[in-house]
């Protein structure tokens, strides 16, 4: 309820073409996704893409972020081909915007591509993508960043699922260490 109210305040004060409105709507979309409200999430994000293109064009970070989020929703629904297309377009958009692959958005796109490759059992290609995502994150941030912990965990899960348990333990331990370094050993 509060989230919807804050979006309404932003819309009333700045309009639906303001970046804060788009960012807030993106966050609401992902909240719906995590709540399992996938149809609502998909419907809302498609509208957000229209608003984003109208307001900023298709060469804007909010557009790329929205593509990644739509890819994530498509993956949750089981529309893997559509998800891959969104992650790939998001990656191209980020790379065109920033001139290199060394940015957070590219890393998230690449991790999404890797997740699709895992579902397609293209393990060698997926492994390369996970490692590329981690390389980007350690280039952009210091190693102790929560996005890095997430990518390390994803790679650990990947190794576990294909039976490479020593590698799985290695990357889960790295993810755990980053998490402990960030938040401490005791967390409620």
């Amino acid at each position: 309820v509060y989230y919807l109210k804050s979006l309404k305040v932003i819309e009333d004060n700045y309009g639906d073409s303001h970046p804060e409105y788009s960012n807030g709507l993106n966050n609401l979309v992902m909240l719906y996704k995590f709540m399992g409200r996938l149809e609502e999430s998909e419907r809302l994000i498609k509208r957000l893409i229209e608003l984003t293109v109208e307001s900023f064009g298709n060469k804007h970070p909010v557009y790329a972020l929205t593509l990644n989020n739509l890819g994530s929703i498509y993956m949750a629904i089981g529309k893997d081909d559509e998800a891959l297309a969104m992650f790939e377009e998001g990656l191209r958009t980020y790379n065109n915007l920033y001139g290199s692959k060394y940015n957070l958005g590219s890393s998230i796109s690449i991790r999404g591509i890797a997740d699709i490759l895992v579902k397609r059992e293209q393990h060698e290609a997926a492994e390369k993508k996970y490692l590329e995502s981690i390389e980007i994150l350690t280039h952009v941030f210091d190693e102790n960043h929560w996005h890095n912990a997430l990518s390390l965990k994803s790679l650990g899960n990947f190794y576990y699922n294909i039976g490479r348990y020593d590698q799985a333990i290695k990357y889960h331990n790295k993810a755990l260490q980053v998490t402990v370094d960030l938040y401490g050993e005791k967390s409620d």
Side-chain angles (χ1 to χ4, degrees):
V1 174
Y2 293 110
Y3 212 92
L4 294 172
K5 285 181 182 180
S6 70
L7 270 175
K8 181 74 174 131
V9 168
I10 293 169
E11 184 179 23
D12 289 348
N13 287 305
Y14 302 107
D16 64 6
S17 63
H18 193 274
E20 282 305 312
Y21 182 78
S22 297
N23 285 330
L25 203 52
N26 252 315
N27 290 337
L28 180 62
V29 161
M30 295 310 287
L31 176 63
Y32 284 166
K33 176 195 171 229
F34 293 122
M35 293 172 63
R37 295 165 64 176
L38 297 175
E39 288 179 16
E40 194 170 358
S41 184
E42 181 182 13
R43 180 187 51 75
L44 198 56
I45 200 163
K46 285 180 177 178
R47 176 66 186 128
L48 177 58
I49 286 177
E50 291 172 8
L51 285 173
T52 301
V53 170
E54 288 170 14
S55 300
F56 312 114
N58 63 356
K59 293 177 173 81
H60 192 278
V62 172
Y63 176 72
L65 169 68
T66 305
L67 293 173
N68 277 348
N69 287 346
L70 181 55
S72 174
I73 292 164
Y74 279 154
M75 208 163 100
I77 295 171
K79 297 180 177 180
D80 293 345
D81 291 339
E82 292 91 336
L84 181 61
M86 292 300 101
F87 290 130
E88 288 174 339
E89 188 175 346
L91 179 60
R92 277 191 302 276
T93 303
Y94 279 119
N95 288 345
N96 288 336
L97 282 168
Y98 299 113
S100 78
K101 65 181 182 175
Y102 290 111
N103 61 74
L104 174 61
S106 291
S107 174
I108 293 169
S109 297
I110 291 166
R111 191 173 59 232
I113 292 167
D115 290 342
I116 295 293
L117 293 170
V118 167
K119 289 178 85 173
R120 293 181 173 178
E121 297 185 9
Q122 296 175 4
H123 297 144
E124 189 175 315
E127 179 181 28
K128 287 178 183 175
K129 291 295 182 188
Y130 284 129
L131 290 169
E132 183 180 355
S133 174
I134 291 167
E135 176 192 336
I136 291 169
L137 288 171
T138 55
H139 185 272
V140 173
F141 303 111
D142 131 334
E143 287 188 10
N144 288 334
H145 191 276
W146 70 271
H147 270 290
N148 196 27
L150 184 60
S151 286
L152 290 165
K153 181 182 169 200
S154 293
L155 184 58
N157 289 341
F158 164 74
Y159 284 133
Y160 175 82
N161 289 328
I162 64 169
R164 291 174 57 186
Y165 301 117
D166 288 342
Q167 289 292 88
I169 291 169
K170 174 184 172 183
Y171 283 95
H172 279 287
N173 281 336
K174 284 183 175 189
L176 179 60
Q177 189 57 56
V178 170
T179 304
V180 168
D181 290 348
L182 285 170
Y183 304 111
E185 288 194 33
K186 190 172 182 182
S187 163
D188 295 329

